[in-house]
Amino acid sequence: MSGLPRTGVGVDVHGYDPDPAPGAVLHLAGLAWPGERPLAGHSDADVAAHAAADALLSAAAVGDLGSVFGTSRPEWAGAAGTALLAEAARLVREAGFEIGNVAVQVIGTRPRLGPRARRGGGRAVRRRRGAGVGVRDDDRRSRPHRPGRGRRRDRDRPRRPRA
């Protein structure tokens, strides 16, 4: 394979489960989030793990999430997103590629990923099923905008002497 880095893009979207089974739990970034409304899907509907897996498959041109793990593949029904991610990584390596980096952006108001990542959630994800991913929080972007808070640009500029 070429020594040039390859880039893949992965996107995953799941709606909330309209009729979750009793005890159903939201799975996001390889972690269970008890008390949060679960998403509907063929597997565990972990949008972060699915997007990362789709990006890996895309970069290596070995398919996409739907063709590799889709509803036509009953053996993946109910599978953990980390299992799909580990299998995608295996397929990419089997195709002769090395994985350098995967970044996923989760857009939503709940659950808050940052506090869980700071408590060691990222390390827990890496240990699960060989997925080889973690969660990193960029605190500046994870906080909602609150007008009137923070530094104002005009305060940062040097004042000009008045004539």
Side-chain angles (χ1 to χ4, degrees):
M1 298 290 139
S2 169
L4 294 175
R6 295 176 62 122
T7 302
V9 176
V11 175
D12 196 59
V13 177
H14 288 269
Y16 284 110
D17 192 338
D19 189 25
V25 174
L26 171 70
H27 293 275
L28 184 60
L31 301 169
W33 298 82
E36 296 288 342
R37 188 172 171 193
L39 302 176
H42 176 61
S43 63
D44 68 355
D46 182 336
V47 293
H50 293 185
D54 201 28
L56 292 177
L57 296 169
S58 170
V62 293
D64 62 23
L65 204 64
S67 66
V68 177
F69 305 110
T71 57
S72 65
R73 305 280 309 272
E75 67 271 25
W76 293 106
T82 52
L84 275 61
L85 183 54
E87 178 63 7
R90 187 191 69 74
L91 292 170
V92 166
R93 290 182 182 108
E94 185 178 85
F97 295 98
E98 182 179 318
I99 299 168
N101 183 57
V102 176
V104 174
Q105 184 176 31
V106 176
I107 300 171
T109 57
R110 290 184 66 162
R112 298 288 309 264
L113 293 172
R116 186 97 179 252
R118 286 189 291 274
R119 287 194 322 258
R123 287 187 302 280
V125 174
R126 282 190 291 275
R127 286 192 301 265
R128 290 177 181 234
R129 302 190 189 194
V133 297
V135 178
R136 181 183 69 97
D137 175 46
D138 184 344
D139 208 37
R140 293 172 307 220
R141 286 187 263 167
S142 66
R143 292 184 183 147
H145 173 68
R146 293 187 180 104
R149 297 207 177 188
R151 294 172 27 184
R152 289 181 40 197
R153 283 193 183 264
D154 58 348
R155 288 184 193 158
D156 296 336
R157 294 186 189 135
R159 293 184 183 255
R160 295 183 188 183
R162 294 185 184 206

